[in-house]
Amino acid sequence: MFVELMPLLKERTLLITIARVDERVKINVIPAKVKEGEDHALTTPLSLTGSAEELDAELGKHLASFVDSHVQLGSTLAEAKAEMDAAAKAARQKVKATQQTSKPDQTAPKQETAAATAPVTDTTPSLFAPQDLGAEPAQAADTEEGRNETP
């Protein structure tokens, strides 16, 4: 039993509980968390229930399978994390390189556009556009008189 658990014991602490339930024996092998934020799949317990004879005959095989699956899962998660970290680092470097190459390009167009920009008069009509105040009252008066007259 302990030979099968050694590969898992290299990485983490295990809590083993054994209880008698009626005439059967229940055994739990619970891996402890190594660090905060660790994937919960790595702390999934193994629970087996059977007669003492069944557990004597089969426990070693089940423990070996559990430990093998657990170690493979741990290495797969570590590989995936390493790949994601490498991809994130490459993306940060690419953004940094893009920003560094675009900085000189940004300063040159600003200088050109500042020199080429001339004051532009707005020809679009607006409610708030300045109007000639001298002509406006006469037109308004004509319009008012025209409205009051009935044909």
Side-chain angles (χ1 to χ4, degrees), residues 30-118:
I30 307 165
K33 276 188 173 182
V34 174
K35 58 185 173 187
E36 198 61 37
E38 184 176 48
D39 194 309
H40 293 290
L42 294 173
T43 59
T44 303
L46 170 69
S47 295
L48 299 169
T49 304
S51 67
E53 293 80 20
E54 290 173 334
L55 290 176
D56 278 343
E58 301 291 324
L59 183 61
K61 289 185 238 177
H62 290 293
L63 285 175
S65 175
F66 174 72
V67 169
D68 185 46
S69 297
H70 193 278
V71 170
Q72 284 180 348
L73 176 62
S75 66
T76 301
L77 287 173
E79 289 172 7
K81 186 175 185 298
E83 288 176 9
M84 288 188 299
D85 290 344
K89 183 178 179 181
R92 283 191 298 268
Q93 288 176 344
K94 183 177 179 181
V95 168
K96 191 175 184 180
T98 304
Q99 288 175 346
Q100 288 176 351
T101 57
S102 66
K103 283 183 181 179
D105 294 334
Q106 290 176 351
T107 57
K110 285 181 183 177
Q111 292 171 355
E112 292 173 11
T113 55
T117 305

Side-chain angles (χ1 to χ4, degrees), residues 109-139:
K110 285 181 183 177
Q111 292 171 355
E112 292 173 11
T113 55
T117 305
V120 178
T121 57
D122 189 15
T123 58
T124 307
S126 171
L127 271 174
F128 304 107
Q131 298 176 355
D132 185 15
L133 297 176
E136 190 174 320
Q139 290 175 352

